[in-house]
Amino acid sequence: MVSLNKYFLWFLLLCLVLTMVAGVLAALLPNEIAGVLTAIPYLIAMIIVLYRFLKQQRRAPTDQERKKLTLGYTAIFWGYNLLGVFAGVWFFSQNDPEVWKTFVMYLQNTQFLLTALIMLLMLAIPLYLITYWFYGKQAQRMAAKMFGQ
């Protein structure tokens, strides 16, 4: 099994750049359409990194690599999104301490936390399953087409 660290790094960098691009697009689009852009950076980064993996390794990921990549991508994506939430609240609370107080108040509200958790799971579960599928049979088909395996 090869080291997957460089693929995780590529995924993180691509996600960050694509999230910034999606954020600019989201600001220009109506809210109903902008919400769809949440998953696009993840999906594009996942596909680009798989393509790099196939080109460099000349094969599809093994089952063990597939599981590690899927879990790693999920942890990276949600980790930097959570970090972004806290960084954003911290940044905007510098000029207005009421922002931080309101944020903490919402974190103590069970109904808000459950709603946020449900919304997160509605996105996280499909992204996880899509990644797991894409790095399995789909990656094998791509490798067969690219390298005649």
Side-chain angles (χ1 to χ4, degrees):
M1 187 168 100
V2 298
S3 173
L4 301 176
N5 291 337
K6 65 181 173 183
Y7 299 109
F8 291 137
L9 183 60
W10 270 106
F11 181 80
L12 174 63
L13 294 175
L14 285 168
C15 265
L16 287 173
V17 170
L18 293 168
T19 298
M20 290 178 201
V21 171
V24 170
L25 290 174
L28 301 173
L29 295 171
N31 287 342
E32 296 80 23
I33 298 170
V36 175
L37 293 177
T38 305
I40 299 299
Y42 179 95
L43 295 172
I44 293 173
M46 175 196 65
I47 292 168
I48 291 171
V49 173
L50 175 60
Y51 187 75
R52 287 187 62 85
F53 183 93
L54 294 173
K55 282 289 202 182
Q56 291 174 355
Q57 303 301 319
R58 304 190 60 78
R59 63 173 176 80
T62 64
D63 281 339
Q64 188 178 10
E65 290 170 335
R66 175 184 178 194
K67 289 175 188 173
K68 286 184 178 184
L69 287 167
T70 303
L71 285 172
Y73 291 172
T74 302
I76 289 168
F77 184 71
W78 293 109
Y80 91 79
N81 274 294
L82 190 61
L83 184 65
V85 167
F86 284 108
V89 171
W90 175 81
F91 178 78
F92 289 109
S93 70
Q94 295 302 304
N95 293 332
D96 185 6
E98 194 66 31
V99 171
W100 186 259
K101 289 178 187 173
T102 304
F103 180 68
V104 170
M105 182 185 71
Y106 273 109
L107 288 180
Q108 295 170 348
N109 183 333
T110 307
Q111 185 176 2
F112 171 79
L113 289 176
L114 287 175
T115 303
L117 179 65
I118 290 168
M119 291 174 61
L120 183 132
L121 289 175
M122 286 177 61
L123 184 61
I125 292 170
L127 286 178
Y128 180 87
L129 294 174
I130 288 169
T131 305
Y132 191 76
W133 167 79
F134 201 78
Y135 273 66
K137 293 292 181 189
Q138 184 61 30
Q140 291 169 1
R141 284 191 284 271
M142 288 172 68
K145 190 164 185 120
M146 290 170 71
F147 309 115
Q149 293 179 354

